[in-house]
Amino acid sequence: MKRLLELFGLASGHGDSAGGHASRAFNDWHVVVGARLPHGAVAVLVGAAALALVLSAVTVIRARRRHGAPVLLLRAAALGASLAVALQPTLELRQIVRVPNRVAVLVDASRSMDVRPPDGGPSRAERAAKLLDGPSSERAAWERDGHRVDIYTFGEGLVPSTVDALRATPTADATRMGEALAELGARYAGHDLGAVVLISDGIDTGRIGKGPIDDQTRAAIAGLAAPIHTVSVGESALRDLSVAAVVADEFAFVRTPVTIEAVVRQNGLPHRQIDVTLTRDGRPMATRAIVLNDASSEERISFDWLPDHPGTFVFQIATPVLRGEALASNNAQMFTVKVIRDRVRVLHVCGRPSWDERFMRAMLRRDPNVDLVSFFILRTETDEQPWNRNEMSLIPFPTYEIFEDQLHSFDLVIFQNFNYAPYGVEPYLSGMREYVEQGGAFAMIGGDLSFGAGGYAQTPLQEILPVDMPRADGSASSASMTGDTFKPRLTAEGRGHPITSLLLDPRDNEARWGKLPALEGLNQTIRLRPGAVPLLVHPTLRIEGGKPAPVLAVAEPGKGRTLALLTDTAWHWGIVAAGDGDDGRAFQQFWENAIRWLVRDPALTLLHIDLDRTEYRRHQAPSVRVRTVHPDYTPARGVAVTLSLTTADAAGTGGASPLVTTASAETPLRRQDIVTDAQGESQVDIGALPPGAYHLTGRATLDGRAVVEDKTFVVRAEGKELEDIISRDDVLRAIAEAGGGTYRHASLDGVTIRTPREVRVGNQREVQFWSHPVLLAVVLALLAGEWLLRRRAGYT
């Protein structure tokens, strides 16, 4: 054909182009006959030529003359040449380009790919990278065959990658194979995809899970229109024990039972008993024993817990790390539970009936937010008893039940003019000190049976109260109470403290206190204890150092709070004030403020630290919003706030971040000073943190008041990705079957790739042979030769 094209001057200079990734171009041709004539005319011409040839053959056979065969052949050639001219044959020359198709290789980059076999050999990720590395790999062979190989990693999403990048340690916290295939389909829409190769351990945390394949994933596989081959790099045998899941409510209520459940999963560790431990804030709470059955099993256990005070608590459920386990980091799960109050539970103990006690108890009983348990002493063992003890309806004072069994169920304990000695309370006072230091609240109200007069100077309560008291030794210097009448005066601290804020405006608030009725009697004190804050003081009496004698003082020992009101006539702020023309609400408002402050009511804080969540994944940076408000809850702009980050167990340090990292475990791990904007807000990014429990503390001064806010959060060591690290070959087999491909274990041998489709590109040329002079000369020569030979042979 090339010689013929050269004869007609139509030879083409195009040829195949080389190169593994280049498009392969080549020439193609074909002849089109009768394109310019109607189909009926073509049929008539062909039929006429055939009939003429048949008649000629019959004539030659009957004549039986010499040269019959050559004559017939020349006549046939002449008829053929004439027919060719009549049918106007055309030669079409086309340039065809064969476009290389693509092979998409998807490599799992989730954390489960970092698991190594029991013998300590290469990890799953390292074995996957080796399949694609080097000139002798199947990937290199595909490229030599003209395919374009695109490499991606996938975990939470699909990311373009390279062979060199596959050597990095996998860090993705999820494996979503179905989602990755759907995203791949969107990327290759309109492209010629020859094959998809998916290399993984089969552990899916997305919509496929443990299978079967969902309809959405099947639709994504069908949309790829290419065979999907799956390659497993998992191990045939693996030993692992994990806390696979924890089921616990995010919120709980004080004094409401909570059930915490956990799922413990094992593989290859049968026929043994292990202990599962629940810890809270680093302290063991409970242990449950479970038996591991079969080669692979799953056990569910539960723990019961009764929260006794509000707060955010850090829990951990853990199993021991057994010998030969493939992964130790999934043997524990850490989580938080935030406990909130539905009502404030108050224990009120009063030494004897009084007007102060009556107003106090009535106020507490009317408050719908208070769950009150009240005891007041009507008689003692030394009182005269003119009647039979058995006929009395009074119950004995339940000392053990209150101060041992139920103490931690109370949010606030109030001793009102109560002396402990006659009722066997002394052995429990050290427990009350611990209760406060661990976060409880305690208030002592004055009277002739309270403070120093009640003998508290020699007890553990002296260590948590805001004042040092004189010993009750009967001397003149230890007189229990003064008998004077006085109007207490607000201190500088009291002007802005939430307890003494009867009105929002500081000036109006101070004027309100000045108009309240006078009080009678004050329990004597020696000094304020370190860290104590006086809110109300006596106008004339002095204590050690010449300082005004406190009437109302507060302190924050340990994690708790205490209040000392050194008088038993605060009820004057109620009914007496009402008789003087006041609204009579100062007494109630004062105690409502006091209770809310003592139990750390969040509504009272002027500094708010809001986290976007309380639990974070690895490498997930906590985002913090800081808000500051004035006592009237309007935004406080330009407030300097210091943020300090510490570990909940006061051990370890964090990684690099925009905050300052310190080397000492005794100082904050990270610290940053910020200033709130015009809206009283500031946004802070703490940066990624290693797994663990953390406290974030904010400190600021607002309207002369020092405020502190604390938040607790957890960075979880593991997630769903490592709950079960046993490879799932059945999932990979199902994907290969749905995609029309094959499943292989740790090998790419024999992976088939669809042949590239051919695409017509460039110009198309038409060569009309029938009008060429050479063809016309051939026709005439054949006709003339046939006529001469026929004449010589004697044919007419």
Side-chain angles (χ1 to χ4, degrees):
M1 183 64 190
K2 186 176 181 182
R3 294 285 182 89
L4 180 61
L5 292 176
E6 290 175 350
L7 176 64
F8 287 94
L10 299 172
S12 172
H14 293 283
D16 289 354
S17 83
H21 281 178
S23 299
R24 294 178 179 268
F26 60 93
N27 290 321
D28 184 35
W29 60 271
H30 74 283
V31 178
V32 179
V33 178
R36 299 176 182 272
L37 298 176
H39 293 301
V42 172
V44 170
L45 289 174
V46 173
L51 180 61
L53 187 61
V54 170
L55 292 176
S56 297
V58 170
T59 302
V60 170
I61 293 172
R62 287 180 178 177
R64 297 175 180 262
R65 296 180 181 179
R66 61 177 185 160
H67 306 300
V71 170
L72 188 59
L73 289 175
L74 282 174
R75 183 170 295 179
L79 284 172
S82 300
L83 186 62
V85 172
L87 293 179
Q88 301 178 4
T90 301
L91 178 68
E92 289 187 356
L93 298 177
R94 299 173 300 176
Q95 187 181 53
I96 303 299
V97 176
R98 179 172 295 169
V99 180
N101 58 12
R102 297 172 181 268
V103 178
V105 180
L106 279 62
V107 182
D108 190 344
S110 64
R111 296 178 60 209
S112 64
M113 291 288 286
D114 199 32
V115 173
R116 298 179 182 274
D119 60 3
S123 67
R124 296 170 179 175
E126 291 168 347
R127 298 197 297 273
K130 188 176 181 180
L131 290 175
L132 302 170
D133 196 10
S136 60
S137 65
E138 288 294 319
R139 173 194 60 81
W142 298 335
E143 291 179 342
R144 287 193 296 269
D145 289 342
H147 303 288
R148 295 182 179 178
V149 180
D150 300 328
I151 297 177
Y152 298 89
T153 58
F154 70 94
E156 297 170 325
L158 193 66
V159 180
S161 186
T162 63
V163 174
D164 292 337
L166 295 179
R167 300 188 183 96
T169 301
T171 58
D173 287 315
T175 306
R176 299 190 173 102
M177 288 187 282
E179 292 83 342
L181 291 172
E183 188 175 347
L184 186 73
R187 284 176 178 264
Y188 283 88
H191 294 277
D192 186 14
L193 189 60
V196 176
V197 179
L198 191 150
I199 305 175
S200 174
D201 54 15
I203 301 173
D204 186 87
T205 58
R207 62 188 183 216
I208 294 179
K210 294 184 178 181
I213 298 177
D214 60 291
D215 293 340
Q216 195 173 356
T217 300
R218 288 188 180 276
I221 291 174
L224 288 169
I228 300 178
H229 306 282
T230 57
V231 179
S232 172
V233 289
E235 297 78 13
S236 57
L238 204 64
R239 304 173 68 189
D240 187 61
L241 177 66
S242 68
V243 179
V246 172
V247 181
D249 291 332
E250 219 176 301
F251 295 93
F253 291 98
V254 175
R255 295 174 294 277
T256 300
V258 174
T259 298
I260 299 172
E261 295 183 333
V263 176
V264 177
R265 191 174 292 150
Q266 68 88 16
N267 190 80
L269 298 166
H271 313 305
R272 67 182 69 196
Q273 178 175 304
I274 63 167
D275 290 333
V276 183
T277 304
L278 173 70
T279 60
R280 187 190 77 187
D281 296 332
R283 298 184 180 90
M285 285 185 59
T287 299
R288 298 283 186 272
I290 61 172
V291 177
L292 306 180
N293 298 310
D294 304 326
S296 179
S297 63
E298 187 175 283
E299 304 293 335
R300 182 178 288 268
I301 57 173
S302 63
F303 299 90
D304 296 322
W305 173 52
L306 183 66
D308 53 18
H309 61 283
T312 300
F313 300 92
V314 178
F315 288 88
Q316 179 175 272
I317 295 180
T319 66
V321 178
L322 304 180
R323 174 184 250 176
E325 279 196 65
L327 195 66
S329 58
N330 62 355
N331 287 53
Q333 277 208 35
M334 192 176 289
F335 58 98
T336 60
V337 177
K338 185 176 182 179
V339 179
I340 57 179
R341 295 186 183 91
D342 52 352
R343 301 174 72 190
V344 178
R345 195 162 193 242
V346 177
L347 171 63
H348 177 224
V349 182
C350 183
R352 65 161 64 104
S354 67
W355 281 107
D356 204 38
E357 172 271 325
R358 181 177 179 180
F359 276 85
M360 182 71 179
R361 196 158 65 95
M363 183 274 299
L364 292 173
R365 290 178 63 183
R366 285 196 305 267
D367 192 336
N369 296 315
V370 171
D371 177 17
L372 177 64
V373 177
S374 181
F375 294 92
F376 57 98
I377 310 300
L378 296 179
R379 66 170 183 83
T380 68
E381 295 295 330
T382 59
D383 290 340
E384 293 185 7
Q385 302 176 16
W387 48 80
N388 190 319
R389 179 190 297 266
N390 295 329
E391 297 175 357
M392 298 174 60
S393 62
L394 300 178
I395 63 170
F397 189 48
T399 307
Y400 179 84
E401 289 81 357
I402 291 176
F403 297 108
E404 185 68 25
D405 283 353
Q406 298 295 321
L407 179 61
H408 286 273
S409 71
F410 294 103
D411 301 305
L412 170 63
V413 177
I414 301 174
F415 279 8
Q416 184 170 15
N417 198 25
F418 173 70
N419 58 332
Y420 66 90
Y423 312 105
V425 177
E426 184 174 5
Y428 305 102
L429 295 183
S430 60
M432 285 195 61
R433 178 191 61 198
E434 294 175 1
Y435 155 79
V436 171
E437 291 174 342
Q438 293 172 7
F442 176 69
M444 183 175 284
I445 303 174
D448 59 349
L449 301 178
S450 192
F451 291 103
Y456 288 99
Q458 302 98 320
T459 69
L461 294 189
Q462 170 70 88
E463 302 174 22
I464 60 173
L465 283 168
V467 294
D468 280 336
M469 302 163 282
R471 293 178 177 271
D473 56 7
S475 64
S477 62
S478 66
S480 62
M481 294 189 71
T482 66
D484 62 332
T485 300
F486 64 94
K487 280 194 173 186
R489 178 169 52 84
L490 278 173
T491 64
E493 297 86 351
R495 291 188 184 97
H497 200 279
I499 292 179
T500 47
S501 294
L502 302 181
L503 296 173
L504 290 177
D505 185 82
R507 293 183 180 179
D508 294 343
N509 183 58
E510 191 166 5
R512 177 74 188 278
W513 277 103
K515 294 177 182 179
L516 292 178
L519 305 179
E520 297 177 8
L522 182 73
N523 285 87
Q524 293 190 19
T525 56
I526 300 175
R527 67 184 70 86
L528 287 169
R529 291 187 61 81
V533 178
L535 304 181
L536 293 173
V537 294
H538 196 283
T540 58
L541 290 181
R542 295 291 185 267
I543 58 174
E544 186 179 275
K547 297 180 180 180
V551 177
L552 174 66
V554 293
E556 298 190 40
K559 298 180 180 179
R561 286 179 170 179
T562 60
L563 176 147
L565 178 60
L566 295 110
T567 182
D568 60 354
T569 57
W571 61 276
H572 288 188
W573 298 335
I575 189 170
V576 176
D580 294 339
D582 189 84
D583 61 7
R585 288 183 48 82
F587 177 81
Q588 178 177 340
Q589 188 171 358
F590 163 75
W591 274 113
E592 286 177 351
N593 290 349
I595 292 172
R596 292 170 69 188
W597 181 84
L598 284 164
V599 300
R600 298 181 185 272
D601 188 334
L604 281 184
T605 183
L606 304 181
L607 171 63
H608 296 267
I609 296 178
D610 301 318
L611 294 166
D612 53 343
R613 62 192 67 193
T614 56
E615 294 184 9
Y616 297 88
R617 301 193 308 268
R618 294 168 65 255
H619 311 302
Q620 190 175 24
S623 180
V624 183
R625 185 175 68 141
V626 179
R627 296 184 295 122
T628 53
V629 295
H630 293 294
D632 61 355
Y633 300 103
T634 58
R637 61 179 299 177
V639 177
V641 181
T642 299
L643 294 176
S644 301
L645 181 73
T646 58
T647 55
D649 56 0
T653 58
S657 82
L659 298 171
V660 178
T661 302
T662 59
S664 172
E666 297 178 356
T667 57
L669 299 176
R670 304 182 185 182
R671 180 188 181 99
Q672 184 169 355
D673 295 322
I674 62 173
V675 178
T676 57
D677 59 18
Q679 286 73 43
E681 298 184 1
S682 183
Q683 199 77 21
V684 180
D685 189 358
I686 295 179
L689 295 166
Y694 296 89
H695 289 310
L696 182 64
T697 304
R699 291 180 172 84
T701 301
L702 276 157
D703 298 331
R705 181 190 307 177
V707 290
V708 179
E709 175 77 346
D710 184 82
K711 291 290 183 180
T712 301
F713 65 92
V714 164
V715 178
R716 298 186 65 168
E718 309 301 344
K720 292 181 64 177
E721 178 64 27
L722 296 181
E723 289 175 0
D724 185 1
I725 60 172
I726 307 304
S727 60
R728 301 174 189 167
D729 294 350
D730 54 337
V731 172
L732 296 176
R733 291 179 188 274
I735 292 175
E737 181 180 353
T742 57
Y743 163 83
R744 285 171 169 74
H745 182 80
S747 172
L748 293 175
D749 294 341
V751 170
T752 58
I753 301 173
R754 209 164 35 81
T755 303
R757 66 173 182 261
E758 294 181 354
V759 180
R760 181 187 298 180
V761 297
N763 296 322
Q764 176 177 312
R765 299 179 59 196
E766 293 184 355
V767 180
Q768 298 178 351
F769 284 105
W770 63 273
S771 62
H772 201 280
V774 175
L775 182 58
L776 294 176
V778 170
V779 172
L780 292 175
L782 289 173
L783 290 174
E786 187 271 342
W787 181 79
L788 291 173
L789 185 61
R790 183 163 48 84
R791 294 288 294 179
R792 181 174 295 182
Y795 291 96
T796 57

